[in-house]
Amino acid sequence: MNSQPLLEIKDLQVWFPVRRGVFSRTSGWIRAVDGVTLDLYAGETLGLVGESGCGKTTLGRAIVGLEKVQGGDIRFQGQSWMDLPAAELRRQRPHLQMIFQNPHHSLNPRLTVQEIITEGLCAHRRISATERETEALRLLADVGMNADALYRFPHEFSGGQRQRISIARALAVHPELVVCDEAVSALDVSIRAQILNLLLDLRTRHGLAYLFISHDLSVVRYIAHRVAVMYLGKIVEIGVASEVLKQPRHPYTRLLRQSILEPGRPRKTGIVQLGEVPSPSQPPNGCLFHPRCPYAIAQCRIEPPQLLPAPGTPAHRTACHRQNEWEEKGESRSIPLT
Ligand code: SF4
């Protein structure tokens, strides 16, 4: 893997104003993404997991320029995008593309498949009708679809085929990084496996990097090299996928892992039992997870934990005051509840 990250996110903040009253005055802020720092390497898949509303989609949208950023830095191939002139930023944007969750809503029903998948291409350079058709046919073949799809409309296709069209649209401008936002969540289980295998195949053939956003840890375990766990706008654990998902250190990741359905193992309901996620407009003091954490101690209510490496595994970092106790005592069951 290249030592220079393809994408570097530093202390990124995406806040939304809470407006009240007849004059719509700003009375507070929803901190959807609050101080996120991440690296992503060429050819790598970074899984981004967490419950609904934790800020993972907002982070993905901010990376591709669909959300306004309040603070922090986004660097692509070593160059900061925050101070780039608008024209240069437009030239750089095609390097980063996004595949959306629901292919039923993300494709324009009035456009043919050819128009949809070459729309981005035409926006960035002039191309002839012949070249447009040739490119569209190449992209369709790339995602495993027949040439007869070219002049048909989205409603004529199944959910899996529509997601293939969405992927072809993202690939049209030769991106280096694709943000996949719950890209298989809306699909049937059998189709889900086909799309995941297609994404893996495209990653190998085109050297793509993915930021793979999902609430489903079993899907992330299948496709990701590394995993970042997000809670209330912050990363609480990050590391190699097999380590984080097999031996999670943060109590929140442990609870997320319990929600994976495995054959012969009943689903546990830890997260549901621990109550509601606090509002991102009024986040708790100290560790953001402390109102739901069965292991919280007095320090957790006052002092925010830093994302720190575990002893002996520098790439596995966790934001928990008690992470070293898990290491010393083994299973979390042996740590006294408070
Ligand atoms: Fe729980 Fe405290 Fe760790 Fe937060 S810092 S996850 S409250 S033990």
Side-chain angles (χ1 to χ4, degrees):
M1 204 172 281
N2 197 330
S3 58
Q4 161 82 36
L6 184 67
L7 178 78
E8 297 163 86
I9 307 290
K10 293 231 184 317
D11 205 17
L12 200 74
Q13 293 174 328
V14 185
W15 295 4
F16 299 109
V18 179
R19 299 192 192 280
R20 290 225 168 83
V22 283
F23 298 110
S24 292
R25 293 219 169 89
T26 302
S27 62
W29 293 90
I30 293 173
R31 301 175 180 207
V33 175
D34 196 21
V36 166
T37 296
L38 282 178
D39 289 341
L40 219 163
Y41 293 82
E44 182 191 37
T45 299
L46 176 66
L48 186 60
V49 301
E51 290 165 280
S52 296
C54 70
K56 52 193 192 305
T57 292
T58 306
L59 175 59
R61 289 173 60 85
I63 289 170
V64 297
L66 295 175
E67 298 292 353
K68 193 164 173 271
V69 168
Q70 257 69 38
D73 195 8
I74 299 174
R75 301 179 83 84
F76 186 76
Q77 293 178 325
Q79 182 180 40
S80 173
W81 280 14
M82 304 312 287
D83 306 318
L84 277 186
E88 180 57 25
L89 194 56
R90 264 199 305 279
R91 266 196 293 279
Q92 295 285 335
R93 284 271 179 234
H95 292 300
L96 270 64
Q97 291 296 306
M98 190 158 184
I99 300 168
F100 297 91
Q101 175 175 5
N102 196 331
H104 297 268
H105 298 148
S106 65
L107 302 178
N108 188 334
R110 294 197 179 88
L111 299 183
T112 64
V113 168
Q114 177 185 270
E115 288 168 328
I116 289 169
I117 61 183
T118 56
E119 210 178 8
L121 208 57
C122 298
H124 289 97
R125 65 182 173 92
R126 293 170 72 94
I127 62 172
S128 68
T130 314
E131 193 185 347
R132 189 173 186 177
E133 190 179 86
T134 309
E135 266 302 288
L137 286 170
R138 182 188 65 76
L139 287 160
L140 279 180
D142 221 12
V143 297
M145 288 191 70
N146 294 328
D148 64 6
L150 209 57
Y151 295 105
R152 291 162 66 192
F153 291 88
H155 71 269
E156 298 177 58
F157 297 95
S158 66
Q161 287 171 321
R162 284 186 222 197
Q163 200 57 306
R164 284 176 192 267
I165 295 167
S166 302
I167 295 168
R169 176 177 60 182
L171 294 182
V173 287
H174 305 285
E176 279 154 86
L177 191 155
V178 180
V179 175
C180 306
D181 182 18
E182 302 277 7
V184 295
S185 307
L187 305 176
D188 292 345
V189 175
S190 57
I191 307 297
R192 200 177 290 179
Q194 291 174 17
I195 299 297
L196 283 174
N197 287 333
L198 173 65
L199 289 171
L200 285 173
D201 181 42
L202 292 170
R203 183 176 75 191
T204 309
R205 280 195 280 128
H206 298 296
L208 292 171
Y210 295 131
L211 178 65
F212 194 88
I213 298 169
S214 179
H215 66 278
D216 187 339
L217 266 65
S218 55
V219 167
V220 170
R221 188 165 60 183
Y222 184 69
I223 197 167
H225 297 106
R226 287 189 302 139
V227 175
V229 183
M230 207 165 168
Y231 184 75
L232 272 188
K234 290 186 185 292
I235 302 298
V236 296
E237 184 161 9
I238 185 167
V240 174
S242 54
E243 266 177 34
V244 171
L245 299 177
K246 199 167 167 206
Q247 291 184 310
R249 290 169 172 273
H250 198 284
Y252 177 62
T253 316
R254 289 169 191 248
L255 293 172
L256 278 182
R257 198 182 68 154
Q258 287 175 7
S259 67
I260 297 181
L261 265 182
E262 283 178 358
R265 189 164 74 92
R267 183 192 286 270
K268 296 181 184 173
T269 53
I271 290 176
V272 177
Q273 287 166 3
L274 289 176
E276 294 296 316
V277 185
S279 166
S281 63
Q282 291 176 318
N285 292 330
C287 173
L288 296 175
F289 190 56
H290 88 252
R292 303 172 79 196
C293 181
Y295 308 108
I297 53 177
Q299 183 190 12
C300 305
R301 296 180 187 94
I302 303 162
E303 193 184 322
Q306 303 299 309
L307 196 60
L308 296 174
T313 51
H316 188 168
R317 289 178 293 141
T318 311
C320 174
H321 292 307
R322 304 188 71 187
Q323 68 156 315
N324 291 337
E325 294 179 51
W326 317 148
E327 181 66 23
E328 288 159 17
K329 300 188 184 184
E331 280 296 297
S332 64
R333 280 192 296 276
S334 63
I335 305 293
L337 296 175
T338 54

